[in-house]
Amino acid sequence: EDKVVQSPLSLVVHEGDTVTLNCSYEVTNFRSLLWYKQEKKAPTFLFMLTSSGIEKKSGRLSSILDKKELSSILNITATQTGDSAIYLCAMIKTSYDKVIFGPGTSLSVIP
Amino acid sequence: DTEVTQTPKHLVMGMTNKKSLKCEQHMGHRAMYWYKQKAKKPPELMFVYSYEKLSINESVPSRFSPECPNSSLLNLHLHALQPEDSALYLCASSQVDRSYEQYFGPGTRLTVT
């Protein structure tokens, strides 16, 4: 059965800290791994990773995929209170365009 | 305009009621999605429409009936729901060949009494 696992499930850090969120997956016909940020309600798209070892970067956020280890990390440097959210890892398969979400990591950044 | 709108924001309905959730986008996206999200859980895909045709139904009970009347609108008709159907219902849209980059609406918080 296809599965996406995230760790930790929740995390509390202080502003300015650097955090690393982990995602691992088991899936047949893997196409891409996705990261979304969910604040209050609607998830917003962060990154899509398809190739191993190529870092995607957006401001203080960066992510990389390791297809050998079937995993990905999302790094956030110099965290701010506005980074507080649930970070969802997801995958998309080649067979059809279904996004399968992991359980999410709830990040709280305190001043 | 990169917004997906959903109405209503909140809905309380009895188990014998019939109601509809509405979703609208004007980004020219031809793929639209319904997700169900329970508290502290990730979104779960319910339906996918591609070019206004239903392409994926994730074995959703027939008391949920989707409809895509045109390329900008997506409805979810609800009938004879159960209390366990109470959840946040999220609509999303994307370009058909960029299904990884979905734009989500704010959701409708549904409570079934």
Side-chain angles (χ1 to χ4, degrees):
Chain A
E1 185 185 338
D2 299 330
K3 193 165 61 171
V4 179
V5 176
Q6 292 186 246
S7 65
L9 293 180
S10 68
L11 187 57
V12 180
V13 300
H14 287 95
E15 269 192 312
D17 287 352
T18 292
V19 298
T20 298
L21 310 183
N22 301 288
C23 176
S24 62
Y25 59 91
E26 295 174 21
V27 64
T28 53
N29 302 315
F30 171 86
R31 188 170 109 194
S32 300
L33 186 141
L34 315 173
W35 284 98
Y36 279 81
K37 177 182 181 182
Q38 186 169 21
E39 299 172 270
K40 294 182 183 178
K41 285 193 176 175
T44 53
F45 173 76
L46 294 175
F47 298 115
M48 180 187 73
L49 303 158
T50 303
S51 301
S52 226
I54 298 175
E55 186 183 52
K56 292 277 182 93
K57 205 167 165 61
S58 176
R60 295 176 293 102
L61 276 66
S62 63
S63 184
I64 196 161
L65 175 68
D66 186 338
K67 288 169 102 169
K68 191 175 173 185
E69 296 295 326
L70 306 182
S71 66
S72 173
I73 58 170
L74 175 69
N75 281 320
I76 309 175
T77 58
T79 51
Q80 302 171 356
T81 55
D83 295 327
S84 296
I86 295 172
Y87 289 85
L88 294 163
C89 175
M91 62 180 179
I92 195 163
K93 300 175 63 161
T94 55
S95 49
Y96 55 96
D97 294 330
K98 174 183 172 180
V99 175
I100 302 168
F101 286 92
T105 292
S106 176
L107 174 65
S108 296
V109 181
I110 54 178
Chain B
D1 182 3
T2 59
E3 192 181 16
V4 177
T5 58
Q6 289 187 244
T7 56
K9 290 184 181 176
H10 301 275
L11 178 63
V12 179
M13 61 185 289
M15 289 190 283
T16 58
N17 291 158
K18 281 186 184 181
K19 296 285 184 185
S20 296
L21 309 185
K22 296 187 184 302
C23 174
E24 190 167 5
Q25 55 86 18
H26 295 287
M27 293 179 276
H29 291 167
R30 302 298 295 277
M32 296 187 78
Y33 312 80
W34 279 116
Y35 288 87
K36 174 182 177 180
Q37 187 173 26
K38 302 280 274 184
K40 299 189 189 300
K41 297 285 187 183
E44 292 179 12
L45 184 67
M46 299 174 73
F47 302 104
V48 181
Y49 272 82
S50 182
Y51 298 110
E52 295 84 69
K53 293 196 186 318
L54 183 65
S55 60
I56 296 176
N57 176 341
E58 287 290 304
S59 303
V60 179
S62 60
R63 57 186 185 268
F64 295 91
S65 175
E67 179 197 19
C68 190
N70 61 53
S71 59
S72 300
L73 293 174
L74 185 67
N75 298 322
L76 186 63
H77 303 298
L78 313 173
H79 174 53
L81 294 193
Q82 304 295 312
E84 59 265 28
D85 296 321
S86 298
L88 180 69
Y89 287 84
L90 292 163
C91 171
S93 71
S94 74
Q95 296 180 30
V96 170
D97 59 349
R98 292 171 70 91
S99 55
Y100 54 85
E101 191 172 355
Q102 294 180 23
Y103 290 79
F104 283 81
T108 293
R109 175 72 61 190
L110 175 68
T111 303
V112 182
T113 60

